[in-house]
Amino acid sequence: MKPHQIAFGALALAVVCVPAMAQGSFTMDFDDIPVAVGSPTPPDQTFGSAVLGYYNGDPVYGRGGPFWDVTFSDEALAICAQVNDEDCKGNFPAPPSGNSAVGSVSTSSFTFFVSPGLYVSSLSFQYTDAGASSNPGVRLFSGSTELLTLALTPCTGGFCPWKQFEVPQGALDDLPVTAVAFLGAPNSVAFDNVSVTTTPIPEPSTYALMLGGLALVAGLARRRTR
């Protein structure tokens, strides 16, 4: 086999071994999520609907949510804004889309986790808060390891118009982000239109095979230039 054919074959092998880029891109708007019922007993839903596994096919409560491989901690509630319906409990401005946003009325953080084997490769969202003491933010985890906490700019007084925030790509590149915590004083911060891209975590053997193919290409290129 000619050298250029070998090089082409090695390059093709390296390309094949590059991990698939995007498992899925989607936006969670928290609109019209039904109240969880049944067994086990769902979390307190006095102020909204517990999100839980709604965006992961909702296998526990069978509400028929999409299969997006995202599960929320118990504290996350889909809360309808007061301005849209007199029966709603939210005191924040009308959401950017639909009738609801996600927040917590009991704790200063709530978390979403992606399914095993996936990581978050892009993340953006919109948020509003009740002022400086609300301390809005977002925290990134790889497994149980905290990677980074990003403080968000609070409103100057009371709830202000919704603001857009995109997590810098560099913050998602060092280690696979498998969980994201939204931060803020209880009943003081709301998040909406959480846009996520999930990507498969490459197996170590995949990286080794890819690097081996690239090394072979580099070696053949050096031989041809001598």
Side-chain angles (χ1 to χ4, degrees):
M1 184 178 290
K2 296 180 180 179
H4 73 275
Q5 292 175 319
I6 297 174
F8 180 80
L11 180 59
L13 175 64
V15 170
V16 168
C17 294
V18 173
M21 288 307 294
Q23 174 74 10
S25 298
F26 49 88
T27 299
M28 297 177 284
D29 60 17
F30 309 99
D31 291 331
D32 304 315
I33 296 178
V35 172
V37 295
S39 180
T41 303
D44 177 36
Q45 299 176 113
T46 305
F47 296 95
S49 300
V51 182
L52 303 171
Y54 180 77
Y55 290 115
N56 192 21
D58 203 32
V60 176
Y61 297 104
R63 292 175 292 178
F67 290 89
W68 287 345
D69 290 302
V70 174
T71 301
F72 282 79
S73 60
D74 291 356
E75 303 84 7
L77 296 178
I79 304 172
C80 186
Q82 183 70 39
V83 292
N84 289 333
D85 188 325
E86 62 181 11
D87 294 328
C88 289
K89 304 295 184 179
N91 57 352
F92 48 83
S97 60
N99 58 6
S100 298
V102 67
S104 175
V105 298
S106 59
T107 66
S108 59
S109 71
F110 60 90
T111 305
F112 77 76
F113 311 85
V114 294
S115 296
L118 299 175
Y119 72 96
V120 176
S121 55
S122 71
L123 173 65
S124 64
F125 53 85
Q126 292 173 281
Y127 73 97
T128 184
D129 64 87
S133 62
S134 58
N135 297 317
V138 61
R139 184 174 293 147
L140 308 179
F141 292 86
S142 180
S144 60
T145 301
E146 180 180 334
L147 302 177
L148 180 67
T149 296
L150 300 169
L152 303 177
T153 303
C155 297
T156 55
F159 285 98
C160 60
W162 290 81
K163 300 183 286 290
Q164 177 78 20
F165 183 82
E166 182 172 356
V167 174
Q169 197 60 48
L172 301 168
D173 289 342
D174 292 339
L175 288 173
V177 173
T178 58
V180 175
F182 292 106
L183 313 177
N187 207 32
S188 298
V189 185
F191 301 86
D192 197 22
N193 289 347
V194 179
S195 295
V196 181
T197 299
T198 57
T199 300
I201 298 174
E203 296 292 337
S205 58
T206 300
Y207 273 130
L209 190 57
M210 179 181 69
L211 292 174
L214 293 175
L216 178 58
V217 171
L220 290 172
R222 284 197 299 269
R223 288 178 58 187
R224 293 188 65 189
T225 58
R226 291 177 181 174

